């Protein structure tokens, strides 16, 4: 399947980020824990060079916990600061503040040498659409925050959320549009729901997801749709999707399977976590989409 994208939005979003990046010390980069490499936009390296960086593996609750840990190691081994979080429930957010201090140690020391004491770190949240930027800002800032800037007649421009004495957050996140020459990346972003279904062939997408699940998480299919007998008899993705249609009563004209509806149900079940905690890429190779069977982190 060829996943198409609209480059039109990109330039505007990029320009806004370039403006805002000048104002900040730290970039908080949100990645989707289910697809940490595919949800990463490489432009951020160029845009954010010379800035401290903190990676948040968000939606960690939807991803395979053992693979989350493997990704944490992956990023740490590459010199990144990284915390896994669930922006929706707030899990993991408490660990962020000390890591921010650590990530910005150079800036804090530099300030101190210049006699500037207690200047808060200014941070911007960035990430691809739907990764959870707004949810994160709301949960992290909580109720205790106060907005500064943009007071009538005083300052115009960026609005800052004062989290505490040490940290201020830009209240508008930077949107990075996903980048994918690699169709595998596009497919994974579509599977997690970052690309609108209207521009996709959902049946093909569901079949790809089934193929992946049959290989890595067959028990998820078995459990959710009671497919033990069907999977024992064979693992043809089309047959599996038909079984989902059967189990869920997706029929057209009385007896034919409504495959489109079944595909929608399967994708929805995956995206919402009802299929279980499933990660779509593993950190055993730098090549996105390629996994060697010998180094499945779930087997460790
Ligand atoms: P964005 O600003 O980056 O575009 O993303 P946004 O915060 O709008 O979040 C997109 C969706 O992801 C929201 O769901 C949000 O609740 C969900 N989300 C964000 N962080 C997490 C997380 O850590 N775990 C889980 N499970 N979900 C998360 P929605 O369906 O659009 O809204 P709602 O049903 O939650 O109201």
């Amino acid at each position: 399947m060829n996943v198409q994208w609209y480059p039109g939005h990109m330039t505007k979003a990029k320009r806004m980020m370039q403006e805002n990046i000048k104002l900040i010390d730290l970039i908080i980069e949100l990645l989707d824990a289910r697809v940490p490499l595919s949800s990463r936009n490489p432009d951020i390296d160029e845009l954010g060079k010379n800035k401290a960086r903190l990676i948040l593996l968000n939606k960690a609750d939807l991803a395979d916990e053992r693979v989350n840990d493997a990704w944490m190691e992956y990023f740490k081994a590459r010199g990144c600061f990284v915390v896994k979080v669930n922006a929706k429930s707030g899990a993991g957010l408490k660990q962020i503040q000390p890591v921010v201090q650590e990530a910005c140690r150079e800036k804090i020391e530099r300030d101190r040498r210049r006699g500037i004491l207690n200047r808060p770190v200014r941070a911007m949240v960035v990430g691809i659409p739907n990764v959870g930027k707004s949810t994160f800002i709301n949960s992290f800032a909580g109720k205790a925050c106060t907005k500064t800037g943009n007071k009538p007649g005083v300052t115009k421009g960026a609005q800052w959320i004062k989290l505490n004495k040490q940290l201020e957050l830009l209240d508008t996140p930077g949107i990075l549009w996903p980048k994918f020459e690699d169709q595998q990346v596009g497919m994974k972003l579509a599977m997690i729901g970052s690309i609108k279904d209207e521009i996709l062939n959902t049946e093909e997408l569901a079949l790809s997801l089934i193929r992946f699940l049959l290989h890595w998480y067959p028990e998820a299919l078995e459990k959710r749709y009671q497919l033990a007998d069907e999977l024992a008899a064979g693992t043809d993705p089309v047959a599996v999707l038909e079984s989902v249609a059967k189990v869920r009563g997706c029929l057209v004209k009385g007896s034919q399977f409504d495959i489109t509806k079944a595909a929608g149900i399967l994708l929805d079940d995956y995206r919402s976590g009802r299929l279980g905690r499933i990660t779509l890429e593993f950190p055993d190779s730098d090549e996105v989409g390629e996994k060697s069977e010998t180094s499945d982190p779930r087997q460790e």
Side-chain angles (χ1 to χ4, degrees):
M1 174 178 14
N2 232 5
V3 181
Q4 297 298 334
W5 196 248
Y6 303 105
H9 308 291
M10 290 189 206
T11 358
K12 197 177 158 205
K14 217 165 150 179
R15 208 180 320 117
M16 262 184 64
M17 277 188 56
Q18 271 161 341
E19 288 296 307
N20 287 333
I21 262 171
K22 291 179 204 150
L23 311 171
I24 58 146
D25 309 299
L26 171 75
I27 295 175
I28 300 179
E29 183 184 8
L30 259 74
L31 303 181
D32 190 304
R34 294 166 297 175
V35 286
L37 292 189
S38 296
S39 58
R40 209 163 189 213
N41 181 317
D43 284 346
I44 195 64
D45 291 330
E46 180 58 29
L47 278 166
K49 61 175 185 239
N50 308 325
K51 301 286 176 189
R53 182 99 55 93
L54 166 63
I55 290 177
L56 297 183
L57 287 179
N58 192 37
K59 306 201 185 185
D61 56 305
L62 298 175
D64 189 328
E65 186 61 5
R66 266 175 295 176
V67 190
N68 284 344
D69 291 335
W71 279 114
M72 294 279 288
E73 292 310 312
Y74 172 96
F75 285 113
K76 280 183 190 164
R78 281 155 184 78
C80 301
F81 295 92
V82 51
V83 178
K84 61 180 169 191
V85 296
N86 171 352
K88 205 167 165 177
S89 74
L93 298 186
K94 279 206 184 98
Q95 291 164 46
I96 293 176
Q97 184 69 38
V99 184
V100 166
Q101 294 301 110
E102 174 107 21
C104 294
R105 202 160 44 192
E106 254 183 50
K107 173 233 171 258
I108 294 165
E109 301 264 300
R110 203 169 48 236
D111 277 359
R112 193 173 299 146
R113 279 198 302 275
R114 290 177 184 159
I116 306 167
L117 292 178
N118 303 327
R119 188 163 67 95
V121 167
R122 288 192 147 182
M124 175 165 68
V125 175
V126 304
I128 63 168
N130 210 39
V131 74
K133 297 177 293 302
S134 320
T135 310
F136 169 71
I137 291 174
N138 287 337
S139 308
F140 193 50
K143 291 181 203 114
C145 65
T146 45
K147 281 194 181 182
T148 58
N150 250 12
K151 294 184 189 94
V154 186
T155 16
K156 260 225 159 107
Q159 288 225 26
W160 297 93
I161 302 170
K162 196 173 167 66
L163 295 186
N164 51 45
K165 277 191 184 129
Q166 284 140 9
L167 185 60
E168 287 184 3
L169 213 59
L170 193 65
D171 86 332
T172 25
I175 301 169
L176 290 164
W177 297 92
K179 229 181 179 179
F180 45 86
E181 279 94 36
D182 181 345
Q183 286 296 315
Q184 279 293 318
V185 175
M187 289 283 264
K188 289 187 214 166
L189 292 171
M191 286 174 191
I192 63 163
S194 280
I195 294 169
K196 284 204 170 66
D197 278 347
E198 294 91 81
I199 61 167
L200 297 168
N201 179 332
T202 49
E203 285 162 41
E204 235 182 281
L205 191 64
L207 289 173
S208 289
L209 181 59
I210 289 172
R211 229 169 270 127
F212 176 88
L213 294 172
L214 285 170
H215 192 84
W216 295 102
Y217 297 91
E219 67 286 354
L221 285 170
E222 256 177 59
K223 250 170 68 190
R224 179 78 190 153
Y225 308 112
Q226 298 89 45
L227 297 184
D229 294 344
E230 285 83 349
L231 294 188
T235 53
D236 168 35
V238 177
V240 172
L241 191 54
E242 281 176 0
S243 299
V244 173
K246 196 165 134 196
V247 171
R248 287 288 179 266
C250 307
L251 299 171
V252 274
K253 293 192 211 111
S255 59
Q256 284 207 331
F257 295 128
D258 187 343
I259 293 301
T260 313
K261 192 168 172 196
I265 288 176
L266 181 96
L267 290 169
D268 207 44
D269 281 347
Y270 172 60
R271 291 167 185 168
S272 62
R274 286 191 294 271
L275 262 179
R277 297 178 65 173
I278 292 163
T279 301
L280 295 179
E281 60 194 14
F282 307 145
D284 58 353
S285 141
D286 282 337
E287 215 175 321
V288 177
E290 294 300 321
K291 296 172 298 301
S292 83
E293 298 196 16
T294 50
S295 55
D296 174 4
R298 302 168 317 141
Q299 309 297 325
E300 283 166 8

